């Protein structure tokens, strides 16, 4: 290992993450592998995957925690390059707490308002890191993630619900205060590249104005020492190192694509997650 170098991040990149609340771009895989995973997404997580129990949800459930259903998604969240970068920030014992597949069709109105990921996760301490992996080009035109550098230093901010059906977040949560977006920085990514952002950094994304889809995965990693503050016992997936804390029930990886065992693990995990997100203190502002 070079002096000043972590497993994946240079000291300057790790410092930038701590100062700005994000670091990008980083490369996980070549474009050809990203395209294979994009094809897996098209096969497994399209509109056809919407089930009756998804009624009323802003995302079909196959786009939430897909790593519990599909071996290709289980491989993505365990990819060594992504885990090396996350380890440089939070240490060697790493769990996946959540993942959302963010799919914006060509010329679509879906957008993500200014928010902090920590708001609806109820995790303490605030050490959660989101890795956003691009499976297609994610550009200013196609509605890439945009961050407000340094905003993570203001701590957890109040959020309120936003009824707009084009809001892609699970409950439409939006930071309550007016946001001065002038210092905002877009994070364009090519297929196979990823960014890392802090759980408290304000970020958003605009509708896709491009003629092609914008598809990426937001993977929520936590060090095993982080716990959920609510009364619901949640599950999570150990992807590196050891879990010496036991704050979560550990989830099994899928053995075959959406087989009965995988569907049971997935259904149990997301049911607990929705129950928990309703009971965390920040969410009382929403109801
Ligand atoms: O994909 C997007 O546009 C938003 C992603 C996001 O909010 C996240 O990964 O935390």
């Amino acid at each position: 290992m070079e002096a000043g170098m972590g497993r994946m991040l240079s000291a300057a990149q790790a410092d930038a993450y701590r100062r700005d609340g994000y670091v990008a771009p980083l490369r996980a895989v070549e474009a050809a592998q990203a395209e294979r995973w994009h094809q897996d997404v098209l096969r497994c997580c399209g509109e056809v995957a919407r089930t009756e129990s998804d009624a009323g949800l802003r995302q079909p459930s196959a786009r939430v925690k897909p790593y519990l259903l599909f071996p290709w998604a289980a491989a993505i969240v365990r990819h060594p390059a992504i885990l090396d970068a996350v380890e440089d920030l939070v240490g060697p014992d790493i769990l996946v707490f959540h993942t959302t597949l963010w799919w914006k069709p060509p010329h679509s109105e879906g957008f993500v308002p200014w928010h902090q990921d920590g708001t609806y996760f109820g995790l303490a301490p605030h050490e959660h890191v989101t890795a956003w992996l691009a499976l297609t080009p994610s550009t200013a035109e196609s509605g890439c993630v945009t961050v407000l550098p340094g905003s993570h230093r203001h701590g957890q901010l109040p959020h309120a619900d936003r009824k707009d059906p084009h809001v892609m977040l699970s409950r439409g949560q939006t930071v309550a205060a007016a946001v001065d977006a002038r210092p905002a920085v877009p994070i364009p990514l090519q297929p196979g590249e990823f960014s890392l952002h802090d759980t408290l950094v304000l970020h958003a994304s605009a509708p896709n104005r491009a003629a092609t889809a914008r598809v990426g995965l937001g993977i929520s990693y936590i060090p095993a020492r982080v716990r959920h503050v609510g009364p619901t016992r949640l599950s999570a997936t150990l992807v590196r190192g050891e879990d010496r804390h036991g704050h979560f029930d550990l989830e099994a990886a899928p053995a075959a694509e959406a087989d009965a065992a995988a569907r049971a693990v997935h259904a149990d995990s997301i049911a607990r997650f929705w129950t928990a997100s309703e009971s965390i203190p920040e969410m009382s502002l929403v109801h």
Side-chain angles (χ1 to χ4, degrees):
M1 222 181 269
E2 271 176 54
M5 207 42 214
R7 285 175 169 271
M8 171 83 176
L9 302 181
S10 66
Q13 286 173 314
D15 287 348
Y17 177 89
R18 297 197 199 291
R19 182 188 64 234
D20 301 330
Y22 77 101
V23 61
L26 303 163
R27 183 159 286 282
V29 294
E30 293 308 314
Q33 178 59 63
E35 178 53 24
R36 283 194 286 278
W37 284 334
H38 180 215
Q39 292 304 318
D40 289 326
V41 164
L42 294 175
R43 189 180 74 253
C44 298
C45 306
E47 283 306 316
V48 287
R50 200 175 265 271
T51 63
E52 267 176 44
S53 58
D54 295 342
L57 296 183
R58 293 183 194 239
Q59 304 275 358
S61 60
R63 295 185 199 170
V64 179
K65 298 190 183 232
Y67 56 86
L68 297 176
L69 286 173
F70 311 115
W72 56 266
I76 292 177
V77 302
R78 290 169 174 79
H79 194 279
I82 303 176
L83 291 180
D84 283 351
V86 173
E87 179 171 341
D88 288 339
L89 299 175
V90 302
D93 299 323
I94 304 173
L95 302 174
V96 174
F97 175 72
H98 196 64
T99 290
T100 302
L101 176 69
W102 297 103
W103 183 339
K104 291 182 180 171
H107 301 298
S108 55
E109 294 302 321
F111 72 99
V112 173
W114 292 106
H115 70 285
Q116 297 168 304
D117 290 340
T119 312
Y120 23 95
F121 285 170
L123 296 171
H126 285 302
E127 291 189 86
H128 148 241
V129 176
T130 301
W132 201 97
L133 173 69
L135 301 184
T136 64
S138 185
T139 62
E141 188 191 17
S142 66
C144 64
V145 174
T146 297
V147 295
L148 270 176
S151 52
H152 60 306
R153 285 187 248 123
H154 303 302
Q156 176 68 59
L157 302 169
H159 284 54
D161 197 5
R162 186 157 163 181
K163 300 278 180 236
D164 187 333
H166 295 308
V167 172
M168 296 173 76
L169 293 170
S170 56
R171 312 167 80 93
Q173 309 90 323
T174 307
V175 68
V179 170
D180 175 4
R182 282 173 298 179
V185 175
I187 308 181
L189 295 172
Q190 288 305 308
E193 290 182 336
F194 66 104
S195 56
L196 298 173
H197 67 254
D198 184 280
T199 190
L200 291 177
V201 82
L202 282 167
H203 59 290
S205 71
N208 182 0
R209 301 297 179 214
T212 51
R214 194 227 62 170
V215 180
L217 282 157
I219 310 166
S220 299
Y221 292 102
I222 53 172
R225 59 184 169 269
V226 163
R227 65 196 166 79
H228 178 69
V229 296
T232 309
R233 175 125 181 124
L234 293 178
S235 58
T237 289
L238 181 66
V239 287
R240 179 169 279 186
E242 277 180 68
D243 177 15
R244 295 183 201 86
H245 299 270
H247 293 319
F248 299 90
D249 291 339
L250 298 183
E251 299 159 335
E257 210 158 82
D259 67 2
R263 279 188 277 118
V265 170
H266 180 251
D268 174 59
S269 178
I270 61 175
R272 296 197 216 184
F273 178 79
W274 295 135
T275 303
S277 82
E278 280 170 23
S279 68
I280 65 174
E282 290 85 351
M283 293 310 299
S284 63
L285 292 158
V286 168
H287 299 288

